[in-house]
Amino acid sequence: MKTWERGILLGARVVVFLGLVSAVMSGKADQVAAALSGLVSLFVPDLVRAVYPNPGRKFWPWVSPFYNDGVYTLFAVFMAAHITFLNVPFLHLDLYNRIWGYADVPSHLLGGLVTWVTFNEVVLESSRTYGLNWSTGKIVGISFLALILVGVLWEFFEVAMQPAMPWLYESLKNKVQDLAMETLGFVIGLILVGRFEYPYSLAKPFPGKSGGRGWSPTHRPQEVEEQLRTG
């Protein structure tokens, strides 16, 4: 992990931890649960790498995002922002529901970005690992459709949860706005991946082990390597 990525990850953990302390002080169970879940999630990739240091070929595409430091970093930025918008540390300001009606705009944008780069890496590594030889357009298209599907399902979930959590109510206009922001996140992610090759490249193989662990495309069985060279 690069020094600046490690700094962002550490900063995100501190911000989310402060958000947890603030949520406990405010006594709101939903905010405590959100902050605690967010803090735990920021350690999940490290846990996966420690427990499963050498993922096998069949499972590599599905776990590859856990071994990508760039995806980890982007997720950390999203989580820090999301928890802060829910409860600004020690100010006890719920930007989502009480202060700023558009607080979910950056949240859905970042969420769309992180979700797409994660889905796209899974599809990309599936194509490479299983010798599917999918075109870049097909890989991007599949991951984009998956992003939209998840986004739509999330909006239906919010509607279903409204009787128990009335603050989740949003107008149809707002829900369309959420999906639009997630699509914009996809566009930003496509630029990052396609032009700047971050957090990975659509053309180059996975750049080796992450943090000294993990099975990567540089460790594929010989027959898969030959397919990549001739594909």
Side-chain angles (χ1 to χ4, degrees), residues 173-191:
K173 178 182 178 181
N174 186 272
K175 292 189 176 301
V176 172
Q177 174 185 279
D178 292 346
L179 292 174
M181 288 302 100
E182 288 160 10
T183 301
L184 181 58
F186 153 73
V187 173
I188 295 174
L190 187 60
I191 293 173

Side-chain angles (χ1 to χ4, degrees), residues 14-63:
V14 170
V15 168
V16 175
F17 175 74
L18 293 177
L20 175 60
V21 174
S22 179
V24 171
M25 291 173 61
S26 68
K28 294 184 177 180
D30 60 317
Q31 293 184 358
V32 172
L36 181 59
S37 299
L39 185 61
V40 170
S41 71
L42 289 175
F43 290 90
V44 168
D46 285 336
L47 179 62
V48 172
R49 297 177 190 190
V51 173
Y52 197 28
N54 295 293
R57 172 176 174 266
K58 290 183 179 180
F59 298 105
W60 166 251
W62 307 100
V63 299

Side-chain angles (χ1 to χ4, degrees), residues 72-190:
Y72 199 175
T73 302
L74 291 175
F75 175 75
V77 172
F78 161 72
M79 188 54 64
H82 180 72
I83 297 302
T84 300
F85 293 156
L86 187 62
N87 182 356
V88 179
F90 307 114
L91 296 180
H92 307 301
L93 299 178
D94 184 348
L95 299 185
Y96 281 121
N97 303 302
R98 298 185 181 277
I99 306 298
W100 182 29
Y102 293 97
D104 61 342
V105 169
S107 185
H108 278 277
L109 187 149
L110 289 171
L113 166 62
V114 173
T115 302
W116 179 75
V117 297
T118 301
F119 286 170
N120 192 68
E121 182 167 17
V122 171
V123 179
L124 176 64
E125 290 302 316
S126 294
S127 176
R128 290 171 171 173
T129 302
Y130 304 143
L132 301 174
N133 298 316
W134 285 339
S135 67
T136 298
K138 184 173 183 178
I139 291 169
V140 171
I142 292 173
S143 56
F144 175 66
L145 288 176
L147 168 66
I148 295 301
L149 177 60
V150 168
V152 170
L153 290 175
W154 175 257
E155 298 304 328
F156 277 109
F157 170 76
E158 285 188 335
V159 171
M161 293 299 294
Q162 283 175 15
M165 302 178 180
W167 59 85
L168 289 177
Y169 173 78
E170 294 176 340
S171 65
L172 179 60
K173 178 182 178 181
N174 186 272
K175 292 189 176 301
V176 172
Q177 174 185 279
D178 292 346
L179 292 174
M181 288 302 100
E182 288 160 10
T183 301
L184 181 58
F186 153 73
V187 173
I188 295 174
L190 187 60

Side-chain angles (χ1 to χ4, degrees), residues 188-204:
I188 295 174
L190 187 60
I191 293 173
L192 284 176
V193 173
R195 183 171 182 179
F196 298 101
E197 297 187 338
Y198 187 85
Y200 50 81
S201 171
L202 288 167
K204 299 175 183 177

